[in-house]
Amino acid sequence: MNADLQLTGRTEALLPGGEALVRASDQLFLVANSVPGDLISFTPGRKRRGAARGRLVEVIEGAASRVLPPCPVAEQCGGCAMQYLHPDIHSEIKSGWVFDAFHPCQHENTVRVPAGPVSQHGRRRLRWYVGEDGKGCFLGFRAKTAHTVVRHDACMCATPALDTLRRQLEASAVAISLSSFDSVQAVELDDGIHVILEGVPSLDESAIPCHEINGLPLQWWHRSGEKTVPLSKPVQRFHDVLPAGDEGQIVLQIGPDDFVQGQVEGNREIVAQLLRWCEGAGFVVDLFSGTGNLSLPVASALAARVAGAELSQASVRAANANAGRLGVDASYLEANLFERFSIEPFAGADVLILDPPRRGAKNVCSMMGSLLPAKIIMVNCDAASGGRDGRILQSLGYRLHTLRALDLFPYTGHVEAMSLWVR
């Protein structure tokens, strides 16, 4: 399109992901950094992922809910899409995404629980990309519409320990040959931080710049392809602490390749809600079980028998090891849940837990007529795929009892959905 062409339009809504839907010249465009009610001018661009995009030029008339972003690089950084919207509105917008996605499944008795207010708890799992500018090598997040890495002095959404770690890595960039790596991943747990340098080059242990940040020990790793090897020895083991009923807790060992929810308080709230929904269950099935993050607290708190399955061999090993350390009746199998699999170990559960990736659990949901759990609990990081899978459950005789939205990633365009289904 003509780079000099500018259109004027009114922002009608924020869509999942945080882009604004703007109507101009009888067309709809997706534009970043606008909020509902804004009157803006923008430059139309090419279609991407089937939708016409635009680049914001000027806010002609700002909406009442528009605010100055708390982050100085909000305009460029792709990490947080909702910085220009007043925090008091975030819950309404994000809850609406969840309720709209599951709308065909709701009925007059469905309980709807909106997301709570914006949390100040930071993200404990981050991947920084390596960038370089006139000031040298740095770590940052990618820009909204490009692979360009954005430099920032401080990240308001990271935990204090991880933001301190980032600055320490930048200060030691030459010593650790940071520019040779593609990215750095960090996972903060209750008793330590995994730091994973990702890319082809390796690193001598003597070049590691620090072994502790904010009182937390660091375990350094190098990842190339699918292989992750320790850089610092002896290897330290770190753990996640989760609620397990009646104010009890369990401790799970989490390795550098194991998935954990990116926000600790939000993860604990998911587990606490799941424990309430599983009350009275004697047999619980956990599909897409990961390291047992959701089902091991159930096995411990309710003395329930748990059978789980997961595609990742490493996660299955970790879940079984955690079950052994806890001394609970839980076992996990390796299975490709996106294809047909043997349902024998998982049939007839009191509760079946589904925590799939963004693509959802269409295959598993289509098998519920054979699995026949009394209750189903879904935890979806993508509300749209959750709503699609919910329609399958509905067609098989399950009714949506409770639908809950959770804002685990404040200021981003992401929302989590929890749903309880009964026969």
Side-chain angles (χ1 to χ4, degrees), residues 53-70:
R53 256 64 181 187
R55 182 181 61 83
L56 180 65
V57 174
E58 180 187 4
V59 178
I60 300 169
E61 178 186 302
S65 59
R66 186 178 183 84
V67 297
L68 290 175

Side-chain angles (χ1 to χ4, degrees), residues 169-179 181 202-204 206-209:
L169 288 168
E170 289 176 345
S172 309
V174 175
I176 63 173
S177 303
L178 189 60
S179 61
F181 293 92
S202 189
L203 180 70
D204 188 87
S206 63
I208 291 174

Side-chain angles (χ1 to χ4, degrees), residues 194-207:
H194 292 298
V195 186
I196 307 106
L197 301 173
E198 299 179 303
V200 175
S202 189
L203 180 70
D204 188 87
E205 184 176 358
S206 63

Side-chain angles (χ1 to χ4, degrees), residues 57-130:
V57 174
E58 180 187 4
V59 178
I60 300 169
E61 178 186 302
S65 59
R66 186 178 183 84
V67 297
L68 290 175
C71 175
V73 296
E75 184 177 355
Q76 297 85 29
C77 183
C80 299
M82 298 176 68
Q83 294 256 355
Y84 290 86
L85 181 69
H86 195 288
D88 290 349
I89 314 296
H90 289 201
S91 171
E92 176 186 345
I93 297 287
K94 292 190 174 187
S95 299
W97 294 342
V98 172
F99 299 155
D100 287 347
F102 285 80
H103 178 73
C105 305
Q106 297 174 58
H107 52 86
E108 64 276 8
N109 295 321
T110 298
V111 178
R112 304 202 315 180
V113 183
V118 172
S119 167
Q120 298 305 310
H121 300 290
R123 275 175 261 171
R124 61 167 174 172
R125 178 171 58 88
L126 294 171
R127 173 177 276 111
W128 298 290
Y129 292 93
V130 179

Side-chain angles (χ1 to χ4, degrees), residues 130-332:
V130 179
E132 197 163 1
D133 59 16
K135 297 180 181 179
C137 195
F138 65 92
L139 295 172
F141 304 116
R142 284 177 172 164
K144 282 185 169 67
T145 58
H147 289 297
T148 306
V149 183
V150 178
R151 179 188 282 275
H152 57 280
D153 294 328
C155 180
M156 58 177 281
C157 292
T159 65
L162 291 192
D163 209 39
T164 301
L165 171 64
R166 177 187 57 80
R167 291 193 294 270
Q168 179 64 55
L169 288 168
E170 289 176 345
S172 309
V174 175
I176 63 173
S177 303
L178 189 60
S179 61
S180 300
F181 293 92
D182 301 320
S183 58
V184 177
Q185 187 175 2
V187 182
E188 180 180 340
L189 297 161
D190 281 80
D191 52 0
I193 301 174
H194 292 298
V195 186
I196 307 106
L197 301 173
E198 299 179 303
V200 175
S202 189
L203 180 70
D204 188 87
E205 184 176 358
S206 63
I208 291 174
C210 57
H211 293 275
E212 182 181 291
I213 290 289
N214 291 15
L216 288 171
L218 306 179
Q219 175 59 49
W220 292 80
W221 303 85
H222 172 239
R223 179 181 295 151
S224 180
E226 297 183 359
K227 186 176 181 181
T228 305
V229 297
L231 289 175
S232 53
K233 297 180 180 179
V235 174
Q236 302 177 84
R237 310 295 180 183
F238 300 142
H239 305 84
D240 202 12
V241 178
L242 298 174
D246 295 330
E247 299 185 5
Q249 295 180 325
I250 64 168
V251 177
L252 301 188
Q253 183 173 298
I254 304 294
D257 295 321
D258 297 334
F259 173 81
V260 292
Q261 281 283 3
Q263 205 253 34
V264 62
E265 295 300 329
N267 185 52
R268 289 172 180 169
E269 182 54 38
I270 289 176
V271 173
Q273 177 68 83
L274 190 139
L275 287 171
R276 294 191 290 270
W277 285 348
C278 286
E279 187 175 353
F283 175 37
V284 175
V285 167
D286 184 9
L287 302 182
F288 304 97
S289 52
T291 58
N293 175 66
L294 298 183
S295 52
L296 287 174
V298 173
S300 178
L302 305 182
R305 177 171 70 90
V306 169
E310 165 65 49
L311 177 61
S312 166
Q313 188 179 70
S315 293
V316 169
R317 283 198 302 266
N320 283 319
N322 277 319
R325 280 187 288 269
L326 293 169
V328 296
D329 187 4
S331 61
Y332 299 86

